[in-house]
Amino acid sequence: MLLDEDPGTLIHHTIGNFNIHPDKQAITRINDSLSTLQQSRDLRIREAESAMRKLSRHLNSLSTQHEEAVAVHDSGKHAAEIVELDTKKFRIAKAASELEIESERLESELEMLKERLVDLESQGLEGDEATRREREADDATILRLKIFRSLGVDIEPDEAGNFNRAVIRNSRKGDVHVVNIDPKFSRLFYANYFWSTMQG
């Protein structure tokens, strides 16, 4: 009985009964999504290829710079520069150490001088008793030397400051006598000897 009907009508009714319109819409949506995905994939591939070309160019540039740097680099000269810098560093460290030692010495000397200044200020202008005695003894020695010179006798000190040599000039005779003073002889002996030499 089915074959008695028009096949076209049967197909039309069959298609209507299957309700394929939602399926066609789903297929259309899938095709659109696939197309969008393909476009996005193509775009990412192009971007990756562009980045790869850029990185390749950068790599070539760096390789060229590296080759030039290696060609210019002189290991012997570099080692000599390192040695020179080490020498300079050692000299600077040595100088700094010496300056530090000298600074400590000067600080110690400054402290000693400050203490000495405090002592001197506390003693006043005349100084302490020992200083006054020493100054008076020096004044007496200078006075004696002046008296001796006025009589024509020069007393000469040695390196230690001891007066052990006398030069006696006799202006009347034009004589000069050099006397080495020996401590084993008394002062009276030398006084008489000087006097007789000046008078004779």
mmCIF file of all heavy atoms in Angstrom, residues 7 11 19 21 33 36-39 48 54 70 76 79 83 97 101 115 120 124 136-137 144 166 171 187 191 198 200:
data_model
loop_
_atom_site.group_PDB
_atom_site.id
_atom_site.type_symbol
_atom_site.label_atom_id
_atom_site.label_comp_id
_atom_site.label_asym_id
_atom_site.label_seq_id
_atom_site.Cartn_x
_atom_site.Cartn_y
_atom_site.Cartn_z
ATOM 1 N N PRO A 7 6.165 8.614 -4.452
ATOM 2 C CA PRO A 7 7.429 8.580 -3.654
ATOM 3 C C PRO A 7 7.815 9.962 -3.155
ATOM 4 O O PRO A 7 8.342 10.114 -2.061
ATOM 5 C CB PRO A 7 8.462 8.046 -4.638
ATOM 6 C CG PRO A 7 7.676 7.286 -5.657
ATOM 7 C CD PRO A 7 6.360 7.968 -5.780
ATOM 8 N N ILE A 11 8.616 10.810 0.669
ATOM 9 C CA ILE A 11 9.902 11.400 1.124
ATOM 10 C C ILE A 11 9.624 12.689 1.881
ATOM 11 O O ILE A 11 10.217 12.947 2.921
ATOM 12 C CB ILE A 11 10.826 11.631 -0.083
ATOM 13 C CG1 ILE A 11 11.284 10.282 -0.648
ATOM 14 C CG2 ILE A 11 12.044 12.490 0.320
ATOM 15 C CD1 ILE A 11 12.032 10.396 -1.963
ATOM 16 N N ASN A 19 12.160 15.790 11.464
ATOM 17 C CA ASN A 19 12.401 17.109 12.063
ATOM 18 C C ASN A 19 13.922 17.406 12.131
ATOM 19 O O ASN A 19 14.529 17.472 13.199
ATOM 20 C CB ASN A 19 11.769 17.177 13.465
ATOM 21 C CG ASN A 19 11.760 18.607 13.990
ATOM 22 O OD1 ASN A 19 11.925 19.557 13.228
ATOM 23 N ND2 ASN A 19 11.578 18.734 15.309
ATOM 24 N N HIS A 21 15.484 20.071 11.099
ATOM 25 C CA HIS A 21 15.854 21.482 11.137
ATOM 26 C C HIS A 21 16.779 21.808 12.321
ATOM 27 O O HIS A 21 17.833 22.493 12.136
ATOM 28 C CB HIS A 21 14.591 22.351 11.189
ATOM 29 C CG HIS A 21 14.883 23.817 11.136
ATOM 30 N ND1 HIS A 21 15.420 24.428 10.023
ATOM 31 C CD2 HIS A 21 14.716 24.791 12.071
ATOM 32 C CE1 HIS A 21 15.578 25.715 10.272
ATOM 33 N NE2 HIS A 21 15.135 25.963 11.525
ATOM 34 N N SER A 33 31.816 27.316 14.164
ATOM 35 C CA SER A 33 32.852 27.202 15.214
ATOM 36 C C SER A 33 34.150 26.670 14.644
ATOM 37 O O SER A 33 35.252 27.160 14.980
ATOM 38 C CB SER A 33 32.368 26.285 16.340
ATOM 39 O OG SER A 33 31.244 26.827 16.978
ATOM 40 N N THR A 36 35.817 29.425 12.772
ATOM 41 C CA THR A 36 36.428 30.396 13.684
ATOM 42 C C THR A 36 37.703 29.834 14.293
ATOM 43 O O THR A 36 38.725 30.528 14.395
ATOM 44 C CB THR A 36 35.435 30.765 14.800
ATOM 45 O OG1 THR A 36 34.238 31.279 14.219
ATOM 46 C CG2 THR A 36 36.026 31.787 15.751
ATOM 47 N N LEU A 37 37.638 28.549 14.702
ATOM 48 C CA LEU A 37 38.821 27.905 15.273
ATOM 49 C C LEU A 37 39.964 27.847 14.265
ATOM 50 O O LEU A 37 41.140 28.076 14.605
ATOM 51 C CB LEU A 37 38.479 26.503 15.770
ATOM 52 C CG LEU A 37 37.660 26.414 17.062
ATOM 53 C CD1 LEU A 37 37.254 24.966 17.339
ATOM 54 C CD2 LEU A 37 38.467 26.950 18.236
ATOM 55 N N GLN A 38 39.636 27.546 13.019
ATOM 56 C CA GLN A 38 40.665 27.477 11.976
ATOM 57 C C GLN A 38 41.311 28.838 11.757
ATOM 58 O O GLN A 38 42.532 28.958 11.621
ATOM 59 C CB GLN A 38 40.043 26.961 10.664
ATOM 60 C CG GLN A 38 41.045 26.744 9.542
ATOM 61 C CD GLN A 38 42.061 25.676 9.869
ATOM 62 O OE1 GLN A 38 41.728 24.663 10.494
ATOM 63 N NE2 GLN A 38 43.308 25.899 9.483
ATOM 64 N N GLN A 39 40.477 29.891 11.742
ATOM 65 C CA GLN A 39 41.018 31.248 11.569
ATOM 66 C C GLN A 39 41.933 31.620 12.747
ATOM 67 O O GLN A 39 43.013 32.196 12.554
ATOM 68 C CB GLN A 39 39.869 32.245 11.446
ATOM 69 C CG GLN A 39 39.095 32.138 10.146
ATOM 70 C CD GLN A 39 37.896 33.068 10.105
ATOM 71 O OE1 GLN A 39 37.633 33.795 11.072
ATOM 72 N NE2 GLN A 39 37.156 33.024 9.008
ATOM 73 N N ALA A 48 53.271 33.016 15.559
ATOM 74 C CA ALA A 48 54.411 32.203 15.995
ATOM 75 C C ALA A 48 55.530 32.228 14.961
ATOM 76 O O ALA A 48 56.714 32.328 15.302
ATOM 77 C CB ALA A 48 53.961 30.762 16.266
ATOM 78 N N LYS A 54 61.683 36.752 13.968
ATOM 79 C CA LYS A 54 62.297 37.833 14.728
ATOM 80 C C LYS A 54 63.391 37.297 15.646
ATOM 81 O O LYS A 54 64.497 37.867 15.743
ATOM 82 C CB LYS A 54 61.215 38.552 15.533
ATOM 83 C CG LYS A 54 61.723 39.761 16.301
ATOM 84 C CD LYS A 54 60.588 40.458 17.023
ATOM 85 C CE LYS A 54 61.077 41.659 17.808
ATOM 86 N NZ LYS A 54 59.981 42.323 18.536
ATOM 87 N N VAL A 70 84.837 37.675 20.341
ATOM 88 C CA VAL A 70 85.845 36.619 20.498
ATOM 89 C C VAL A 70 87.063 36.924 19.640
ATOM 90 O O VAL A 70 88.212 36.712 20.053
ATOM 91 C CB VAL A 70 85.244 35.247 20.130
ATOM 92 C CG1 VAL A 70 86.327 34.194 20.024
ATOM 93 C CG2 VAL A 70 84.211 34.836 21.174
ATOM 94 N N GLY A 76 95.855 37.266 26.623
ATOM 95 C CA GLY A 76 97.107 37.699 27.250
ATOM 96 C C GLY A 76 97.000 39.106 27.800
ATOM 97 O O GLY A 76 97.434 39.400 28.916
ATOM 98 N N ALA A 79 94.828 39.124 30.896
ATOM 99 C CA ALA A 79 95.557 38.632 32.065
ATOM 100 C C ALA A 79 96.510 39.704 32.591
ATOM 101 O O ALA A 79 96.637 39.899 33.803
ATOM 102 C CB ALA A 79 96.328 37.365 31.708
ATOM 103 N N VAL A 83 96.540 41.429 36.306
ATOM 104 C CA VAL A 83 97.725 41.491 37.164
ATOM 105 C C VAL A 83 98.008 42.928 37.582
ATOM 106 O O VAL A 83 98.320 43.218 38.745
ATOM 107 C CB VAL A 83 98.943 40.888 36.425
ATOM 108 C CG1 VAL A 83 100.231 41.162 37.197
ATOM 109 C CG2 VAL A 83 98.758 39.394 36.240
ATOM 110 N N SER A 97 97.077 51.008 54.833
ATOM 111 C CA SER A 97 97.533 50.459 56.115
ATOM 112 C C SER A 97 98.590 51.362 56.748
ATOM 113 O O SER A 97 98.543 51.640 57.954
ATOM 114 C CB SER A 97 98.100 49.054 55.893
ATOM 115 O OG SER A 97 98.640 48.545 57.090
ATOM 116 N N ILE A 101 98.386 53.402 60.298
ATOM 117 C CA ILE A 101 99.391 53.306 61.363
ATOM 118 C C ILE A 101 99.914 54.692 61.718
ATOM 119 O O ILE A 101 100.051 55.049 62.894
ATOM 120 C CB ILE A 101 100.543 52.379 60.912
ATOM 121 C CG1 ILE A 101 100.035 50.931 60.804
ATOM 122 C CG2 ILE A 101 101.717 52.462 61.884
ATOM 123 C CD1 ILE A 101 101.014 49.982 60.161
ATOM 124 N N GLU A 115 98.680 66.341 76.955
ATOM 125 C CA GLU A 115 99.015 66.149 78.362
ATOM 126 C C GLU A 115 100.163 67.068 78.772
ATOM 127 O O GLU A 115 100.148 67.658 79.857
ATOM 128 C CB GLU A 115 99.390 64.687 78.614
ATOM 129 C CG GLU A 115 98.221 63.718 78.467
ATOM 130 C CD GLU A 115 98.659 62.273 78.596
ATOM 131 O OE1 GLU A 115 99.859 62.037 78.854
ATOM 132 O OE2 GLU A 115 97.801 61.383 78.431
ATOM 133 N N LEU A 120 102.283 72.012 81.381
ATOM 134 C CA LEU A 120 102.939 73.313 81.276
ATOM 135 C C LEU A 120 102.021 74.441 81.725
ATOM 136 O O LEU A 120 102.457 75.383 82.392
ATOM 137 C CB LEU A 120 103.398 73.555 79.828
ATOM 138 C CG LEU A 120 104.552 72.669 79.346
ATOM 139 C CD1 LEU A 120 104.813 72.911 77.870
ATOM 140 C CD2 LEU A 120 105.810 72.922 80.165
ATOM 141 N N GLY A 124 102.644 77.175 84.877
ATOM 142 C CA GLY A 124 102.746 78.614 84.676
ATOM 143 C C GLY A 124 103.930 78.968 83.804
ATOM 144 O O GLY A 124 104.604 78.105 83.234
ATOM 145 N N GLU A 136 118.351 77.970 85.290
ATOM 146 C CA GLU A 136 119.347 78.740 86.037
ATOM 147 C C GLU A 136 120.750 78.190 85.792
ATOM 148 O O GLU A 136 121.712 78.942 85.639
ATOM 149 C CB GLU A 136 119.012 78.715 87.529
ATOM 150 C CG GLU A 136 117.784 79.544 87.883
ATOM 151 C CD GLU A 136 117.330 79.317 89.321
ATOM 152 O OE1 GLU A 136 117.998 78.513 90.024
ATOM 153 O OE2 GLU A 136 116.326 79.926 89.730
ATOM 154 N N ALA A 137 120.862 76.832 85.729
ATOM 155 C CA ALA A 137 122.172 76.222 85.455
ATOM 156 C C ALA A 137 122.650 76.597 84.062
ATOM 157 O O ALA A 137 123.832 76.898 83.840
ATOM 158 C CB ALA A 137 122.080 74.707 85.608
ATOM 159 N N ARG A 144 129.368 81.900 82.422
ATOM 160 C CA ARG A 144 130.775 81.467 82.529
ATOM 161 C C ARG A 144 131.454 81.499 81.161
ATOM 162 O O ARG A 144 132.608 81.940 81.038
ATOM 163 C CB ARG A 144 130.844 80.044 83.103
ATOM 164 C CG ARG A 144 130.554 79.955 84.582
ATOM 165 C CD ARG A 144 130.911 78.583 85.135
ATOM 166 N NE ARG A 144 130.314 78.369 86.426
ATOM 167 C CZ ARG A 144 129.248 77.652 86.667
ATOM 168 N NH1 ARG A 144 128.625 77.053 85.685
ATOM 169 N NH2 ARG A 144 128.779 77.524 87.891
ATOM 170 N N ALA A 166 139.506 73.308 75.387
ATOM 171 C CA ALA A 166 139.607 74.759 75.538
ATOM 172 C C ALA A 166 140.619 75.297 74.529
ATOM 173 O O ALA A 166 141.663 74.684 74.297
ATOM 174 C CB ALA A 166 140.031 75.124 76.949
ATOM 175 N N SER A 171 146.408 87.409 73.110
ATOM 176 C CA SER A 171 146.402 88.483 72.112
ATOM 177 C C SER A 171 147.712 89.267 72.095
ATOM 178 O O SER A 171 148.102 89.805 71.065
ATOM 179 C CB SER A 171 145.217 89.430 72.348
ATOM 180 O OG SER A 171 145.291 89.968 73.661
ATOM 181 N N ARG A 187 140.138 71.089 88.806
ATOM 182 C CA ARG A 187 139.783 72.381 88.232
ATOM 183 C C ARG A 187 140.840 73.441 88.568
ATOM 184 O O ARG A 187 141.104 74.319 87.765
ATOM 185 C CB ARG A 187 138.410 72.831 88.758
ATOM 186 C CG ARG A 187 137.272 71.988 88.265
ATOM 187 C CD ARG A 187 135.958 72.545 88.753
ATOM 188 N NE ARG A 187 134.830 71.772 88.272
ATOM 189 C CZ ARG A 187 133.563 72.073 88.525
ATOM 190 N NH1 ARG A 187 133.287 73.126 89.291
ATOM 191 N NH2 ARG A 187 132.587 71.334 88.039
ATOM 192 N N ALA A 191 142.664 75.881 86.070
ATOM 193 C CA ALA A 191 142.535 77.328 86.269
ATOM 194 C C ALA A 191 143.912 77.984 86.276
ATOM 195 O O ALA A 191 144.148 79.013 85.626
ATOM 196 C CB ALA A 191 141.793 77.617 87.568
ATOM 197 N N MET A 198 147.469 82.570 79.630
ATOM 198 C CA MET A 198 146.987 83.897 79.212
ATOM 199 C C MET A 198 147.993 84.971 79.607
ATOM 200 O O MET A 198 148.201 85.930 78.859
ATOM 201 C CB MET A 198 145.632 84.199 79.872
ATOM 202 C CG MET A 198 144.486 83.394 79.269
ATOM 203 S SD MET A 198 142.901 83.886 79.951
ATOM 204 C CE MET A 198 143.050 83.307 81.628
ATOM 205 N N GLY A 200 151.334 84.445 80.214
ATOM 206 C CA GLY A 200 152.651 84.244 79.618
ATOM 207 C C GLY A 200 152.654 84.661 78.205
ATOM 208 O O GLY A 200 153.479 85.260 77.625
#
